Amino acid sequence: MATAYQNLSDYDFNSVPDASEMNVGIVVAEWNKVITEKLLEGACNTLERHGVKPENIIVKRVPGSFELTFGAKRLADEKDVDAVIVLGCVVKGDTPHFDYVCSGVTQGITELNLMYDIPFIFGLLTTDNMQQAEDRAGGKYGNKGDEAAVTAIKMIDFSCKLQN
């Protein structure tokens, strides 16, 4: 969680395993595109910085955050990926829609992690307002896309070590 005590983009570069042989899928929501494209940029840049070849990053877009779970499942079914990162942004409004979308995506990603032998990385911003989203998409609290990419690399490495 990004707070005054933890920046999403701050991490020990040397603690991240080599990712040069990894294939990573990213499913990104088009809703709140001004935010989600920044998350995507952060994730891709971080993956590449750690060795993932651009051609080994598969990006697919879905209309909104609720569709992330379906998109992530289909990507995992159809492409040879070692992990799937989901990126989206839900900003709280005046109706309970926020709660349903956030709960549905959270539960869906949890279920995918239990069903598949690859990690699904939760990169959904759930904020009270647009300023909080901007602060977490390259703003004063860093970029959730960076954090999601580092998590994907570390979880792929974790999975590979368990298999050996």
Side-chain angles (χ1 to χ4, degrees), residues 8-144:
L8 293 163
S9 298
D10 286 343
Y11 64 94
D12 177 6
F13 184 90
N14 295 319
S15 73
V16 181
D18 173 52
S20 59
E21 299 301 317
M22 295 180 183
N23 298 308
V24 179
I26 302 175
V27 180
V28 60
E30 294 172 338
W31 192 258
N32 289 322
K33 189 174 187 172
V34 67
I35 300 298
T36 61
E37 288 299 312
K38 290 177 184 175
L39 298 175
L40 176 61
E41 180 181 352
C44 290
N45 288 343
T46 298
L47 290 169
E48 289 179 32
R49 200 168 29 252
H50 289 284
V52 180
K53 297 171 189 75
E55 61 269 20
N56 291 342
I57 302 171
I58 300 167
V59 177
K60 298 296 179 185
R61 288 175 171 75
V62 295
S65 291
F66 197 79
E67 293 77 29
L68 288 168
T69 303
F70 178 79
K73 180 185 182 313
R74 289 301 308 262
L75 182 59
D77 287 341
E78 302 298 327
K79 300 294 182 181
D80 182 23
V81 293
D82 300 308
V84 177
I85 299 170
V86 297
L87 300 172
C89 176
V90 184
V91 179
K92 194 167 193 158
D94 297 329
T95 68
H97 180 76
F98 172 88
D99 298 319
Y100 298 123
V101 171
C102 295
S103 292
V105 176
T106 301
Q107 184 62 37
I109 298 306
T110 299
E111 288 179 20
L112 290 173
N113 272 300
L114 297 173
M115 291 170 39
Y116 285 77
D117 287 330
I118 64 168
F120 290 79
I121 309 304
F122 188 84
L124 180 70
L125 290 178
T126 56
T127 62
D128 289 329
N129 55 58
M130 191 57 80
Q131 183 60 56
Q132 288 178 345
E134 291 170 359
D135 290 345
R136 288 156 179 81
K140 69 180 182 178
Y141 293 129
N143 190 317
K144 182 75 172 173

